[in-house]
């Protein structure tokens, strides 16, 4: 046979699970989108269609829901670790499990001042509004021995309305861009960071706290860097995380430069003193890089987009 | 000629304008998506292609950007009023202008505690992160005499994890649904409300404050209503706004019932005590209704979706 | 009570039904997205939460699937008529039913020349590839006596690479646009047309043939009109349909002017002789109008977009 | 410094270029979305913000448009090769260029029979309707010596309404799925295939013909495989391409199993003889694998989705 099978994986993608836990009248919510990818000794199902080694994707879906009950969802990372361990240790043909999770944040709805006249001051303990800002992500990979945890976020849109310049660049025959000494810098952050926790013998990071702190460093570095290029800002964002969070060894960013063009108002006899901008859709600059702790090897794949 | 022209309108849609204003080192941002629709004596351009009465859509775009400089953007509503008045009063063939605006909210990025070691504690006065929750909307219509202002919001996702029931409904030969005495109630709120301000002779509402308060009433009524049906919750949301905001006479909601189905865990020997839910995409219930101040006439079109 | 209930409707939206029919080994497919909206005597469920008059949206979903079996799906229009009639005639509180349907077209996969060596020349009689061009739509409304059928399409992208001009327009102080004597004209057609069939006493149109012919007239009128404005092209598209299809009395278009800007290549010493264009996303012109058979009254709502 | 820079790349993404060429009155169209990613000696811009080695992304955009004029667009692959060669050979710091292109297909609008009474039988030689089926893709990578060309497609939705089974799989404590002996098999094909052309010394494949033939093999293998699992179908699709197209050495598929669930109509006294299906959105099975020519090394990254 002149053709052979290469890397392959399968599972159920985008299992939408909402988990409610109760602390008396106070409810807590975890809202996840869980995707399972399994790989191992799967030649037969590709070559002959024999499913003798195949745990159905429907079963992986059921397992997600059953585990939400059995283990609860302490964090997306911890939940993914439960799932990955289960698939690899319970099914002989499965050698590697990769669990990807998106998490959507919710916040509580504040009670009205005169809530008492409605139905009791404690009622909003079960009422939520979706936060709608970034989507938190994680990817758990387990091969039976070592763990790899790559967490991240996407859809986080940020802007500095000044303190950004761009000049001193290469000019070739196709260059028409004018140098800018005060511009808007805006991007939609996609980031993935790798934890150096890899073994059950070592204590796990506090996933919830680590996420909050990593996100905070990222936002603050964006805000507090006087930028000569988006690459410089990116490096500062990564560097501050590596320096500030010892549990993170590597971070990769994909940062679209969301162009805000100063509108030419001179034809109308008006001066645009960095006040009125056109927010463009496409094309956009796309800046991507990995920032690493010195002495470590990069593991995060470089492709975070198809464009 | 056996065919004739009916209602028609034209303009430039989705002009993305970002307006920065400065208060010393502190920057403020307004981020809008503005769509212009003009109508009037436009038979010729349809019948013969003569553009003699047509102000180009490109000009309506330029006007949006020029007005962002000349008038600033105090609120989406006020900005739309400036634009609509201009088109109707400056171009004889244009009899009616309708301005639709989407507004995206931003919040400031908090400075780091040790910000001083970077570039100064005041730097984040120009740094923002997009809030990413609901999209605020408004529609301004002006016919040269009367104003109609219909503001609203969309994409606001809310959930009550209890205090919702559904039973006592009609059962026909196609009914299989089991009655529910404790269910999740979740929806993505789309709402449009009409202001009773219509004349330049009367003082305008405070658009910013009115939006904040209307949104607050809406959320609180959702949270504080013990629900026997989504229709009942919808009516309470509308009623609380009409009662609480004298400047609003009418509100229409389009509320998808975002089903969260309790997962059957019995096959796995587990009891699901309202803990684990599958969040479904499609189909979904769709509940739509108008709530009015008694004695007023409805004006908001009933179609808020194409589905 | 100072607030009252206005127009309201409810039902299950986006029921995705795929219906297979067999003609020997040859399979046929209908792929629909069906949304149900019912209205009538529904005050109680809004005011008090009593569901005594409410047929559950879950039941309307079941009815869609049961009717796909019982009646088959001859056409989207005929299927919607079956459903609307059922809801209005079988449930006393329901006075009006509106069924909206999207239809996705499929085409057959051609067999390979040497198909016989695989599994038989007739096998591809059950293999399909989604056509992926326009989405066909229909809306059926029934009040127990009269029918209203408004069919249409959306997402049909067309382009003339010449034979389009734009000049002779109004110039005000905000006008900077240069006149164009040879430009690209491109749009994404959204159209809704109303049939004059309203009564069970009259024979229905052939819905499938009418759709094909209406679509053909629309495309040909777009292609064959030498355009001085998109409004003129729109009117020709509508007029040709009204003239060519006696069963259609009214058609409304929403036509975004998808701008293709000639790129300025002079800075690079190149002449752009209508060869290289930048296809812009936003903003875009938006041209909307109704074309009517003379002597008829317009009934299609003017809003086909929220922008 | 405890942090270092890893892999990095930058450029302008999603340059939308439409190229018209004329053959007398007959126009031809190429409609591309071009993304440029450059990498090389870019440490300084990250560490210090110096742009001395940075060709602006705006210049890469200009180059795309200028090359559309200077070189024309014979095929997406050939156009990408022109661009990649230019960036690597003209800018000393740039060591590698990767060009990604999406292509949207158009077909001609047929003239009406009585076209002559409008504006001449040849007019529709410049009128097009977007085909709207799959999106064609390519990725060209050049390091100054070797080429890598990975072409593909996405969004191609296919369905077999029979000739698919699924049984004989592993059953664990979370398995509830019933075996299926006649089911719908539907997927939305994403595929990337690698050409074995790598050197300027060797004649390039005919990119247009190769695409058409690869797509045809893919569709026919899907249609003509009696399927015991989607994995088996995937392998047949890849195998037929490797066997049929000597210029292709490797292909990777990402195939979501778009579930069509047979609706239970028994509660309504109806038998569903494989006639009425519910087309589900999420979750979906996700089957991914590489198929290779024996003796070659895989190079296509395994991640074609983030889920």
């Amino acid at each position: 046979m002149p053709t052979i099978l290469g890397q392959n994986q399968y599972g159920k993608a985008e299992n939408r699970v909402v988990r409610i836990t109760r602390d008396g009248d106070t409810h807590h919510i975890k809202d996840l989108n869980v995707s399972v990818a399994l790989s191992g000794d799967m030649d037969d199902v590709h070559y002959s269609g024999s499913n003798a080694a195949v745990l159905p994707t429907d079963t992986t879906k059921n397992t997600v829901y059953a585990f939400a009950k059995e283990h609860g969802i302490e964090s997306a990372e911890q939940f993914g670790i439960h799932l990955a361990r289960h698939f690899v240790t319970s099914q002989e043909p499965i050698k590697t499990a990769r669990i990807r999770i998106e998490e959507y944040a919710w916040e509580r709805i504040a009670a009205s001042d005169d809530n008492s006249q409605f139905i009791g001051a404690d009622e909003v303990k079960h009422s939520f509004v979706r936060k709608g800002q970034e989507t938190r992500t994680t990817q758990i990979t387990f091969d039976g021995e070592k763990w790899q945890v790559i967490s991240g976020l996407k859809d986080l849109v940020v802007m500095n309305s000044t303190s950004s310049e761009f000049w001193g660049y290469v000019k070739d025959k196709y260059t028409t861009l004018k140098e800018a000494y005060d511009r808007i810098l805006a991007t939609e952050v996609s980031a993935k960071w790798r934890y150096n926790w890899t073994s059950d013998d070592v204590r796990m990071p506090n996933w919830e706290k680590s996420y909050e702190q990593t996100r905070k460093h990222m936002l603050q570095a964006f805000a507090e860097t006087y930028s000569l290029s988006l690459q410089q800002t990116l490096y500062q964002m990564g560097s501050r995380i590596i320096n500030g969070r010892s549990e993170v060894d590597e971070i990769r960013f994909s940062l679209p430069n969301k162009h805000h063009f100063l509108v030419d108002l001179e034809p109308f006899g008006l001066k645009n003193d960095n006040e009125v901008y056109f927010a463009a859709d496409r094309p956009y600059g796309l800046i991507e890089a990995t920032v690493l702790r010195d002495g470590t090897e990069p593991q995060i794949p470089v492709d975070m987009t198809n464009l």
Side-chain angles (χ1 to χ4, degrees), chain A:
Chain A
M1 183 166 42
T3 63
I4 57 168
L5 180 69
Q7 197 277 354
N8 59 86
Q9 61 198 28
Y10 82 101
K12 195 70 100 192
E14 301 208 48
N15 299 283
R16 293 280 292 108
V17 58
V18 171
R19 178 64 156 96
I20 306 293
T21 50
R22 299 193 197 83
D23 177 13
D25 285 349
T26 303
H27 289 201
H28 302 273
I29 180 175
K30 280 283 184 182
D31 184 1
L32 306 184
N33 189 25
V34 180
S35 296
V36 174
L38 308 176
S39 50
D41 299 334
M42 297 290 156
D43 281 10
D44 281 358
V45 65
H46 292 86
Y47 289 139
S48 73
S50 162
N51 293 299
V54 176
L55 187 72
T57 66
D58 187 77
T59 300
T60 69
K61 177 196 72 177
N62 287 346
T63 309
V64 169
Y65 289 106
F67 271 43
K69 165 72 186 186
E70 289 186 274
H71 299 278
I73 302 179
E74 189 187 311
S75 65
E77 284 83 359
Q78 177 64 74
F79 188 61
I81 287 167
H82 284 307
L83 286 166
R85 188 190 308 275
H86 165 78
F87 291 119
V88 172
T89 59
S90 69
Q91 293 296 324
E92 202 280 330
I94 297 173
K95 304 305 183 195
T96 303
R98 190 199 70 198
I99 311 295
R100 285 182 173 164
I101 302 179
E102 296 184 340
E103 179 173 354
Y104 315 110
W106 295 76
E107 55 192 16
R108 292 185 190 280
I109 298 176
S112 58
D113 302 335
D114 54 355
N115 181 30
S116 54
Q117 67 184 92
F118 291 92
I119 45 168
D122 57 349
E123 280 301 309
V124 292
K125 290 179 176 172
H126 56 252
S127 295
F128 305 89
V129 56
R130 193 160 151 171
K131 209 163 177 319
Q133 204 160 48
E134 84 271 12
T135 298
R136 179 174 167 180
T137 65
T138 194
Q139 170 184 297
I140 312 294
T141 311
F142 184 55
D143 64 4
E145 295 197 4
K146 294 193 76 172
W147 294 94
Q148 186 196 59
V149 181
I150 297 175
S151 295
L153 60 80
K154 59 182 179 176
D155 308 325
L156 187 67
V157 184
V158 291
M159 175 191 295
N160 287 329
S161 55
T162 186
S163 297
S164 166
E165 308 184 9
F166 187 60
W167 50 266
Y169 41 76
V170 175
K171 289 163 192 82
D172 74 0
K173 65 179 286 203
Y174 298 112
T175 302
T176 56
L177 186 71
K178 294 219 175 75
E179 301 198 323
Y181 296 90
D182 187 358
R183 63 170 188 173
I184 281 184
L185 187 70
T187 188
E188 181 178 315
V189 181
S190 291
K192 293 186 181 180
W193 53 89
R194 181 173 52 81
Y195 289 98
N196 46 34
W197 177 83
T198 60
S199 163
D200 284 321
D201 300 337
V202 178
R203 187 177 172 165
M204 282 182 204
N206 179 330
W207 305 112
E208 301 294 81
K209 182 181 172 192
S210 183
Y211 178 83
E212 286 309 320
Q213 291 297 310
T214 299
R215 180 185 183 279
K216 195 184 76 175
H217 283 307
M218 199 183 296
L219 281 178
Q220 290 175 350
F222 175 82
E224 296 170 357
T225 300
Y226 190 98
S227 178
L228 299 173
S229 71
L230 184 48
Q231 283 93 330
Q232 184 196 20
T233 295
L234 180 157
Y235 184 75
Q236 287 301 317
M237 292 164 73
S239 183
R240 203 186 291 199
I241 291 164
I242 299 295
N243 288 330
R245 304 303 307 171
S246 62
E247 71 274 24
V248 176
D249 268 6
E250 178 187 5
I251 181 161
R252 183 157 182 95
F253 290 99
S254 178
L255 300 184
N257 195 338
K258 294 174 73 75
H259 304 306
H260 287 70
F261 295 113
L262 206 58
V263 179
D264 179 11
L265 301 177
E266 282 191 23
F268 323 125
L270 301 169
K271 185 168 170 8
N272 191 351
D273 189 18
N274 286 1
E275 295 163 291
V276 180
Y277 295 86
F278 164 59
D281 295 312
R282 296 190 294 181
Y284 47 88
L286 186 55
I287 311 299
E288 302 177 290
T290 297
V291 181
L292 282 164
R293 189 175 304 283
D294 200 5
T296 63
E297 289 299 312
Q299 297 179 26
I300 304 176
V302 300
D303 272 342
M304 290 176 59
T305 163
N306 286 314
L307 295 166

